[in-house]
Amino acid sequence: DDTVLIGVVVGEVPHIFLIDRWRKPKRAGRDYKVPRHEVRKRLTEVRETFTVRRFAADPPGWREEVDSWDVEFGCWNGNEDDPIVLEFLTNRPTVMGPAIDRFLEALDEKSFTHDGTPELREYAGNALLTKAKGMGDHPALAKPTVDEKIDGLVAAVIAHATEAALPEESAPEPFAFYA
């Protein structure tokens, strides 16, 4: 799958935007490796540019990096009960389903904006809204084919959920993001 970094400008009307992405070439097969050094370098640039309040990461395949980012990013204002790096397990319908619901509701209510990049539009256009298999009535996002990626939309859903969960009194200017 693709690796996508999405940012959210925190404010009265949050703004979701594409930071960067690493595209898995079509038919690359299992031999494809994400250029992790590029992702790490880009995250360093993001930290130098923005105040990062939250960094929600989907850990499968990134466990070692997520653990090191947790140490590197630390806690908000030194409060050990408020870590900056959070895990967001997209493979759990009880976590992802409500996040999809809130994202779609916010989209309908126009309670956030987005940059409308062709990349994000492509991810959104590829996505199929379905129900999680065997897990009750939770919504899920699916890709129609192996080559039609939805990773950027999934990242936007997680970024929105992460921003929406920030305590109001702690929301900084301007940033939360997802990888």
Side-chain angles (χ1 to χ4, degrees):
D1 289 342
D2 293 352
T3 298
V4 183
L5 294 177
I6 295 289
V8 180
V9 177
V10 176
E12 189 173 323
V13 178
H15 179 73
I16 295 172
F17 63 99
L18 176 68
I19 297 170
D20 215 333
R21 74 171 178 169
W22 292 264
R23 193 104 212 226
K24 180 179 180 180
K26 289 185 177 187
R27 297 175 186 78
R30 296 193 183 275
D31 292 337
Y32 172 75
K33 300 223 184 295
V34 175
R36 292 171 184 270
H37 65 285
E38 290 179 20
V39 175
R40 286 190 294 271
K41 180 180 177 193
R42 190 68 172 110
L43 284 174
T44 298
E45 292 168 0
V46 166
R47 287 193 65 215
E48 291 170 354
T49 305
F50 297 100
T51 299
V52 178
R53 176 61 178 94
R54 280 283 189 263
F55 174 18
D58 186 12
W62 290 90
R63 170 59 50 210
E64 189 175 312
E65 286 86 354
V66 171
D67 289 344
S68 71
W69 290 325
D70 185 38
V71 171
E72 182 181 330
F73 281 68
C75 296
W76 185 248
N77 290 332
N79 179 355
E80 290 186 24
D81 293 329
D82 198 2
I84 292 173
V85 175
L86 301 176
E87 291 184 5
F88 199 105
L89 301 172
T90 59
N91 60 354
R92 293 201 179 153
T94 56
V95 173
M96 193 62 184
I100 294 168
D101 275 337
R102 288 189 298 272
F103 182 85
L104 293 174
E105 183 178 301
L107 189 63
D108 286 344
E109 294 173 355
K110 297 178 175 44
S111 62
F112 70 87
T113 61
H114 60 86
D115 62 3
T117 62
E119 296 88 351
L120 284 181
R121 288 177 184 267
E122 178 186 352
Y123 288 123
N126 288 343
L128 300 174
L129 183 61
T130 65
K131 296 286 181 190
K133 295 177 184 164
M135 295 301 295
D137 217 20
H138 295 293
L141 296 173
K143 53 187 170 185
T145 69
V146 171
D147 290 329
E148 293 177 284
K149 304 298 182 189
I150 63 170
D151 306 282
L153 178 61
V154 171
V157 168
I158 294 165
H160 174 266
T162 302
E163 186 278 334
L166 286 174
E168 273 191 48
E169 67 278 0
S170 71
E173 290 286 331
F175 200 68
F177 69 97
Y178 164 78

